[in-house]
């Protein structure tokens, strides 16, 4: 944001003040995430920096909370559960959502607006309401406290993300490409796999990532409908924060921050790929 | 145009073009719908049916009519002026005896206890002795517990014999039915829900306002920077967006608690004394700070996508026409960003009133939301009807805002990341 050459002195001052304000807001956004990373290496069982840490004494730092995490059967079991539930519900949500998005992007789709509103609703309805509702219903049909129950619930919560990302990709899809493929002699199946799918894949993959992270991070519904056997990582964290505040949670939190950085990078690469495929080159 | 109307256009195989076209459109419609139908079916079962079940449960009232069926039948035609006669008491004794043998009086006594406190112990005490009760039942039952001699008890049973009730909804807004059937306020010390609804709304409004205040400059900056820089800064917005909710809540606990980082810094700087550390968490402040942080990206992203569409030449034009910077901003730029403010505002507000985890972890007593009461009634007080009624009211509010959002912006315009 360059200052125009005609700016007055007051405007110049305001410009720097504005940049300063923005820097503070960015600090508010990211600072909290960065501060827990060093805290997780605390040798003491506290949530704050010790004197030794501040004086950069190596004795103030340790990996004990990470060791604690990797030797705890409760934590490892919860990770396993999170992955089982997350992967299963992602696969389901991605298949159902992608197929539906293909239908929704058809311009003859009847009642498109109403159906879209319904498909997005699991994202809008507060989680506590979905959780209470699923608890009532799943108890009735014997799905409460089962893996299947949690997987179905998370599939429903992940679907809006897949539908949104895939329809967005399809809406900018150039349908003349299909006609071109047909005119060059490709049959519909070949056209789908050779032309449509490669262009839609980035949307599908980012939708799947959204669905996975939704499941991986979801607490409320699991809290209501799972039994002790289906304890997931967020549940383990939730009870850790509520009951005994152990810095193991900080170690977990740090690893999750790193995971989200990894995820963000993946999404950014996907976005670039998708833009490149469509011939929009970023500057 | 010399085409005669009696000779319609046809396709090569002689079918009129119109018919052929209609057929093609119909086929396309069916195909599209078939693609969507598996998902509709799935959501119908896994999401819509649970919601319907919850709505149904908020008015469902089976306890009295099924477990006191004989009593209810015997009460038919009772005038409500004086105590019912011996047949009603005999029916009650029979109902309670059967219930005691089947050990299923718990739901009934809880249900009646919501309406009239003390009914739980009345029923359990009577049921325990019901085996030794001899006729005349009327005297015997009143002897066991004189609640049975009160007219209100019988009016209550008669009133709650309907299969559906609005009493959970009344309780959800701190009202109840008086014995005579009028809607009255609950006693002041039992009023919790209306206050919590209002607190949820005004705290959410405040969080929405704060995210707007913090999000607007950031969105503006991101819009006006060259793409290379703004992409980099965008990552700083998306990183918290992608980070686990529990991580973000945990980190605010580490920062804000009285032995936490922020207090330590202030003590070290001499801003506050060591013994006068601020309590910034487990209260309203904790909820507001943490939720503003969590929801800020949801404000920035819609604002950014609207600001992106405003041509920078508008501001230059305003300036060249003599507008001072502030005036140009207020009269030209700001009005153009209102759709973004509306989108971000509604989105943050909807998300905020439904939040449960963060208020539960950092809200303490004073920073709780109505959602925390839904959980309380689901898990602790086990008054599921009331939990369902509160949840239904909240759902209604959210749906209203969702429809406004949909009308203003359109759900399919929602962008992620």
């Amino acid at each position: 944001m360059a200052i125009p050459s005609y700016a007055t002195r007051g405007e110049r001052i305001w410009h720097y003040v504005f940049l300063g304000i923005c820097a503070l807001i960015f600090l508010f956004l990211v600072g909290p995430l960065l501060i827990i990373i060093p805290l997780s290496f605390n040798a003491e069982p506290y949530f704050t920096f010790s004197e030794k840490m501040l004086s950069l004494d190596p004795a103030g730092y340790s990996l004990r909370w990470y060791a604690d995490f990797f030797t705890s059967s409760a934590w490892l079991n919860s990770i396993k559960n999170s992955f089982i539930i997350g992967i299963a519900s992602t696969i389901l949500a991605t298949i159902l959502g992608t197929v539906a998005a293909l239908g929704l992007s058809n311009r003859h789709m009847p009642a498109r607006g109403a159906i879209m509103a319904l498909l997005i609703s699991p994202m809008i309805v507060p989680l506590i309401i979905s959780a209470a509702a699923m608890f009532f219903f799943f108890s009735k049909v014997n799905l409460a406290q089962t893996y299947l129950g949690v997987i179905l619930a998370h599939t429903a919560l992940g679907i809006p993300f897949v539908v949104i990302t895939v329809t967005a990709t399809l809406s900018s899809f150039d349908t003349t490409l299909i006609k071109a493929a047909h005119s060059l002699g490709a049959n519909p199946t070949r056209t789908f796999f050779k032309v449509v799918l490669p262009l839609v894949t980035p949307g599908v993959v980012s939708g799947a990532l959204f669905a996975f992270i939704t499941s991986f991070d979801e607490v409320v519904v699991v809290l209501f409908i799972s039994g002790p056997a289906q304890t997931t990582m967020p549940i383990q964290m939730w009870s850790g924060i509520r009951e005994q505040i152990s810095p193991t949670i900080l170690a977990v939190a740090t690893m999750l921050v790193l995971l989200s950085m990894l995820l963000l990078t993946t999404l950014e690469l996907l976005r670039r790929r998708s833009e490149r495929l469509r011939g929009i080159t970023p500057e | 145009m010399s085409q005669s109307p009696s000779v319609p256009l046809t396709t090569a195989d002689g079918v009129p073009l119109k018919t052929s076209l209609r057929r093609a459109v119909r086929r396309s419609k069916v195909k599209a719908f078939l693609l969507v139908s598996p998902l509709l079916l799935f959501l119908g079962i896994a999401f819509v049916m649970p919601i319907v079940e919850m709505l149904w449960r908020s008015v469902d009232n089976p306890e009295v009519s099924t477990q006191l069926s004989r009593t209810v039948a015997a009460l038919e035609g009772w005038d409500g002026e004086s105590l019912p006669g011996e047949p009603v008491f005999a029916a009650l004794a029979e109902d309670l005896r059967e219930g005691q043998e089947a050990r299923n009086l718990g739901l009934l006594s809880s249900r009646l206890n919501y309406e009239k406190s003390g009914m739980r112990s009345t029923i359990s005490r009577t049921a325990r002795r019901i085996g030794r009760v001899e006729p005349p039942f009327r005297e015997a039952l009143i002897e066991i517990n004189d609640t049975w001699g009160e007219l209100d008890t019988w009016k209550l049973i008669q009133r709650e014999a309907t299969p559906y009730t609005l009493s959970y909804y009344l309780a959800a807004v701190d009202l109840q039915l008086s014995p005579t059937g009028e809607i009255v306020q609950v006693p002041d010390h039992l009023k919790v829900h209306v206050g919590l609804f209002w607190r949820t709304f005004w705290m959410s409004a405040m969080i929405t306002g704060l995210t707007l205040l913090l999000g607007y400059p950031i969105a503006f900056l991101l819009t006006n920077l060259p793409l290379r820089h703004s992409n980099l800064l965008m990552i700083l917005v998306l990183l918290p967006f992608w980070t686990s909710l529990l991580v973000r809540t945990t980190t605010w606990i580490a920062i804000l608690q009285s032995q936490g980082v922020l207090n330590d810094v202030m003590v070290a700087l001499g801003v506050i004394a060591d013994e006068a550390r601020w309590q910034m968490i487990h209260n309203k402040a904790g909820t507001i700070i943490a939720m503003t942080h969590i929801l800020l990206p949801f404000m920035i992203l819609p604002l950014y996508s609207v600001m992106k569409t405003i041509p920078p030449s508008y501001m230059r034009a305003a300036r060249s026409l003599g507008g001072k910077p502030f005036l140009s901003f207020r009269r030209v730029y700001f009005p153009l960003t209102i759709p973004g403010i509306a989108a971000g505002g509604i989105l943050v507000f909807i998300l905020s009133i439904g939040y449960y985890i963060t208020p539960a972890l950092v809200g303490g007593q004073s920073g709780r939301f109505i959602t925390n009461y839904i959980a309380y009634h689901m898990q602790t007080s086990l008054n599921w009807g009331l939990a369902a009624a509160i949840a239904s009211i909240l759902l209604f509010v959210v749906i209203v805002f969702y429809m406004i959002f949909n009308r203003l912006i359109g759900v399919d315009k929602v962008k992620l990341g």
Side-chain angles (χ1 to χ4, degrees):
Chain A
M1 204 165 64
I3 319 175
S5 48
Y6 51 79
T8 61
R9 185 196 286 174
E11 283 172 52
R12 277 165 208 277
I13 294 174
W14 165 244
H15 178 79
Y16 289 110
V17 171
F18 178 76
L19 289 184
I21 294 173
C22 287
L24 286 178
I25 302 173
F26 277 118
L27 186 69
F28 173 73
L29 266 172
V30 190
L33 301 181
L34 300 182
I35 216 159
I36 50 164
I37 296 177
L39 274 183
S40 69
F41 295 102
N42 197 341
E44 310 290 327
Y46 303 125
F47 263 44
T48 188
F49 292 99
S50 62
E51 305 243 327
K52 277 185 186 158
M53 291 180 88
L54 291 177
S55 58
L56 294 179
D57 181 350
Y61 293 85
S62 96
L63 287 172
R64 62 185 280 205
W65 308 118
Y66 290 86
D68 204 39
F69 173 83
F70 285 105
T71 52
S72 150
S73 62
W75 277 108
L76 293 179
N77 195 39
S78 70
I79 285 213
K80 195 186 83 192
N81 279 334
S82 277
F83 273 103
I84 293 175
I85 293 166
I87 290 172
S89 58
T90 302
I91 293 173
L92 260 175
T94 309
I95 294 173
L96 287 170
T98 306
V99 171
L102 287 171
L104 280 168
S105 62
N106 185 320
R107 91 198 142 81
H108 297 301
M109 180 67 207
R112 190 174 182 284
I115 289 177
M116 194 71 180
L118 176 73
L119 298 187
I120 306 294
S121 60
M123 194 167 88
I124 301 293
V125 171
L127 279 170
I128 186 92
I129 296 179
S130 310
M134 285 170 176
F135 171 77
F136 290 137
F137 184 71
F138 285 16
S139 317
K140 208 171 164 183
V141 295
N142 291 328
L143 277 173
Q145 315 217 341
T146 64
Y147 279 97
L148 184 63
V150 182
I151 289 170
L152 292 182
H154 278 184
T155 305
L157 297 180
I159 276 170
F161 297 99
V162 180
V163 172
I164 289 176
T165 48
V166 181
T167 29
T169 317
L170 286 172
S171 71
S172 57
F173 185 82
D174 187 357
T175 46
T176 51
L177 291 175
I178 296 180
K179 285 182 199 142
H182 283 317
S183 78
L184 291 169
N187 60 25
T189 324
R190 197 175 158 84
T191 311
F192 181 79
F193 283 105
K194 288 280 173 185
V195 179
V196 182
L197 203 58
L199 284 169
V200 176
T201 304
V204 176
V205 175
S206 58
L209 277 178
F210 269 106
F212 180 74
I213 207 76
T214 305
S215 164
F216 202 72
D217 191 30
E218 204 285 320
V219 204
V220 191
V221 172
V222 194
L223 207 56
F224 276 80
I225 69 171
S226 77
Q230 292 90 34
T231 298
T232 59
M233 196 143 103
I235 295 291
Q236 190 73 17
M237 284 187 83
W238 161 264
S239 51
I241 301 170
R242 275 172 80 107
E243 283 140 31
Q244 28 37 283
I245 296 209
S246 143
T248 311
I249 293 165
L250 295 182
V252 178
T254 303
M255 290 186 279
L256 287 178
V257 170
L258 296 179
L259 181 75
S260 48
M261 285 178 181
L262 191 75
L263 208 75
L264 194 61
T265 320
T266 317
L267 276 174
E268 178 67 17
L269 292 177
L270 279 172
R271 195 180 60 80
R272 290 202 182 154
R273 180 186 145 81
S274 142
E275 278 178 359
R276 202 176 55 237
L277 280 176
R278 279 205 218 96
I280 317 165
T281 38
E283 344 170 30
Chain B
M1 288 305 225
S2 59
Q3 181 74 49
S4 139
S6 58
V7 186
L9 282 170
T10 58
T11 54
D13 47 358
V15 185
L17 192 59
K18 251 188 183 165
T19 320
S20 173
L21 199 64
R22 213 179 302 128
R23 216 176 274 158
V25 168
R26 199 183 317 126
R27 211 176 303 125
S28 177
K29 263 187 187 169
V30 170
K31 210 174 96 188
F33 191 76
L34 282 180
L35 285 170
V36 181
S37 55
L39 181 51
L40 283 179
L41 192 70
F42 175 83
L43 274 188
I45 294 170
F47 188 72
V48 178
M49 270 168 74
I51 299 273
V52 171
E53 165 92 17
M54 184 193 77
L55 293 173
W56 179 73
R57 200 176 274 263
S58 68
V59 292
D60 186 30
N61 191 30
E63 293 88 356
V64 174
S65 56
T66 57
Q67 292 187 293
L68 292 180
S69 55
R70 293 187 191 85
T71 318
V72 169
L75 268 175
E76 219 161 281
W78 174 55
D79 58 1
E81 300 289 327
S82 56
L83 270 188
E86 178 66 14
V88 174
F89 279 91
L92 176 68
E94 188 59 31
D95 278 333
L96 289 180
R97 184 170 306 160
E98 198 183 278
Q100 177 73 357
E101 274 163 21
R103 306 218 161 267
N104 60 3
L105 287 172
L107 287 175
L108 173 74
S109 56
S110 308
R111 177 70 190 91
L112 288 175
N113 205 55
Y114 299 145
E115 303 295 328
K116 181 172 165 150
S117 53
M119 282 307 284
R120 196 192 309 273
S121 66
T122 301
I123 289 178
S124 64
R125 187 184 306 173
T126 315
R128 252 181 282 123
R129 302 197 196 164
I130 202 76
R132 282 163 299 180
V133 168
E134 302 281 332
F137 291 107
R138 182 158 145 169
E139 282 68 33
L141 289 180
I142 295 175
E143 166 96 27
I144 293 172
N145 194 309
D146 46 21
T147 312
W148 298 120
E150 289 169 20
L151 215 53
D152 288 353
T153 312
W154 295 99
K155 284 187 178 157
L156 174 63
I157 291 176
Q158 194 178 35
R159 192 184 80 210
E160 292 306 330
T162 53
Y164 301 103
T165 180
L166 279 179
S167 67
Y168 292 124
Y169 279 96
L170 292 175
V173 290
D174 294 341
L175 296 172
Q176 63 183 16
L177 284 172
S178 70
T180 50
E182 286 153 9
I183 295 172
V184 293
Q185 301 270 328
V186 300
D188 277 342
H189 67 280
L190 294 175
K191 281 186 186 167
V192 278
H193 301 119
V194 171
L196 266 164
F197 269 113
W198 285 125
R199 184 201 284 167
T200 306
F201 291 144
W202 82 252
M203 279 177 73
S204 298
M206 193 151 159
I207 290 160
T208 309
L210 279 171
T211 52
L212 178 63
L213 202 68
L214 298 178
Y216 201 92
I218 294 296
F220 184 81
L221 182 76
L222 289 175
T223 316
N224 289 295
L225 280 179
L227 205 56
R228 207 155 1 99
H229 297 157
S230 75
N231 270 347
L232 200 69
L233 287 179
M234 194 54 147
I235 289 176
L236 299 186
V237 177
L238 291 177
L239 183 64
F241 182 76
W242 276 100
T243 305
S244 160
L245 175 66
L246 281 170
V247 170
R248 287 185 278 171
T249 309
T250 314
T251 176
W252 280 112
I253 296 176
I255 294 171
L256 296 177
Q257 64 176 336
S258 52
Q259 297 300 322
V261 177
L262 195 58
N263 266 306
D264 281 356
V265 170
M266 288 197 296
V267 169
L269 292 176
V271 182
I272 53 172
D274 197 9
E275 52 280 357
R277 285 166 175 266
W278 288 352
Q279 183 62 40
M280 288 177 285
I281 210 156
H282 303 307
N283 55 22
K284 279 192 185 102
T287 304
I288 290 177
I289 296 172
M291 285 190 49
T292 301
H293 179 249
I294 287 165
L295 295 172
L296 189 48
F298 290 94
M299 180 63 92
I300 296 176
L301 296 175
L303 274 176
Y304 174 75
S305 67
V306 166
M307 285 182 185
K308 237 4 210 184
T309 64
I310 302 173
S313 55
Y314 286 14
M315 271 297 264
R316 270 184 248 135
R319 293 296 304 278
S320 80
L321 289 168
K324 288 271 184 299
F326 182 70
L327 187 76
S328 324
F329 173 79
R330 194 170 63 86
R331 298 281 293 273
V332 177
Y333 197 83
F334 184 76
L336 289 169
T337 60
I338 285 176
I341 295 176
I346 297 175
L347 192 63
V348 170
F349 188 77
I350 293 180
L351 291 173
S352 174
I353 57 175
Y355 251 60
Y356 163 64
I357 293 296
T358 309
L361 287 176
V362 299
Q365 272 290 344
S366 65
R368 282 211 196 128
F369 277 16
I370 192 72
T371 48
N372 300 101
Y373 248 73
I374 299 176
Y376 168 77
H377 288 305
M378 292 286 296
Q379 295 173 320
T380 311
S381 82
L382 300 181
N383 189 348
W384 292 352
L386 182 55
I390 299 175
S392 306
I393 294 174
L394 191 63
L395 179 65
F396 174 76
V397 174
V398 168
I399 288 177
V400 168
F401 277 98
Y402 179 41
M403 280 163 68
I404 297 173
F405 181 84
N406 200 6
R407 177 64 59 84
L408 286 178
I409 298 110
V411 273
D412 41 351
K413 302 276 184 334
V414 182
K415 282 206 183 66
L416 300 162

